[in-house]
Structure formats: structure tokens, C-alpha cells
Amino acid sequence: MSKMRILWLSRHNMTNEQIADLKRIYGDVEIKHYTDTVSSWKDVVEIGEDCDVLAVVLPPAILADLVNPRNNNKPVIRAIANRVETGNTVINPATGKEEKEYMFVHAGWEKIVKIEIITERL
């Protein structure tokens, strides 16, 4: 069986936990990391042309267009993370006040099936 090629569209590197979880889901994987900003779903489809799965961090409007079957037929997934208190405190640079420190812990992946955005001009 060949490697599952996954586009990782994010400014951040994928964590070891995220990679291990993708291997659990898809078997042998190869990650293509793309860190630049995209302006539309078309950019994502073009960047991920040689990939089997699109793992993305995107604004809702671009994500909604990307999962539309008229625009893309590849699975679109995103990482799920839990915000966990570390027990430490830090100084918030914006306020100068001490506050609790948190870290994000990988909690799985989810396939995005559909996003519907309904707006009303104000």
C-alpha cells in the first residue's frame, strides 16, 4: 500500500501526537507542509493537487468553499485540541497582569463534511 499524502496547511509545525494520530487513521503518511497565507479555496486545491487529504487551518468562509463538492472532492480534516491548564502562571503582555497558563493538547482529527454560513448585511 502506498503512502497517504497529506497537505498540512498551517503556520505551525504538526506535533508528534498529530502525526501519530494521522498514522493511526491513514497508515503510512507523508506530510506536505505549507505555511503561506492562502486567499481562496482554489489556492488550497492547487497546493494540494498531489495530496490525498487536505488537513487545514482556515477561516470559515474559505473552509466552507473548500468542502463544497463542486469545488473539491478530497477529504478535508482539521485537528481538535483541548486547552489544558498547566498549573503555572504567566504575565499577559497586553495587560501586564498575572494569569493562568494554558497549553493545547491534541485531541484528535475531524473530517469536515459541510459548513454553512448564513450572513445578513448590517
Side-chain angles (χ1 to χ4, degrees), residues 12-31:
H12 303 284
N13 290 327
M14 197 175 282
T15 66
N16 291 335
E17 293 80 13
Q18 289 172 320
I19 294 168
D21 205 19
L22 285 174
K23 289 178 179 178
R24 176 189 62 81
I25 297 165
Y26 295 110
D28 199 12
V29 297
E30 180 182 335
I31 309 298

Side-chain angles (χ1 to χ4, degrees), residues 16-90:
N16 291 335
E17 293 80 13
Q18 289 172 320
I19 294 168
D21 205 19
L22 285 174
K23 289 178 179 178
R24 176 189 62 81
I25 297 165
Y26 295 110
D28 199 12
V29 297
E30 180 182 335
I31 309 298
K32 176 183 179 181
H33 190 191
Y34 188 83
T35 59
D36 292 344
T37 301
V38 297
S39 57
S40 78
W41 64 270
K42 293 176 185 176
D43 295 338
V44 181
V45 169
E46 183 178 311
I47 295 160
E49 182 179 20
D50 60 341
C51 295
D52 305 300
V53 177
L54 309 175
V56 299
V57 178
L58 290 169
I62 295 176
L63 200 51
D65 287 337
L66 183 62
V67 299
N68 183 325
R70 291 185 306 242
N71 300 334
N72 169 51
N73 60 1
K74 294 179 181 179
V76 177
I77 64 172
R78 66 180 179 183
I80 305 165
N82 292 328
R83 188 172 179 248
V84 178
E85 193 175 325
T86 66
N88 298 325
T89 57
V90 294

Side-chain angles (χ1 to χ4, degrees), residues 90-109:
V90 294
I91 302 298
N92 182 325
T95 64
K97 295 181 180 176
E98 191 174 278
E99 54 186 50
K100 294 177 182 179
E101 179 185 58
Y102 293 86
M103 63 185 214
F104 290 95
V105 177
H106 179 68
W109 291 93

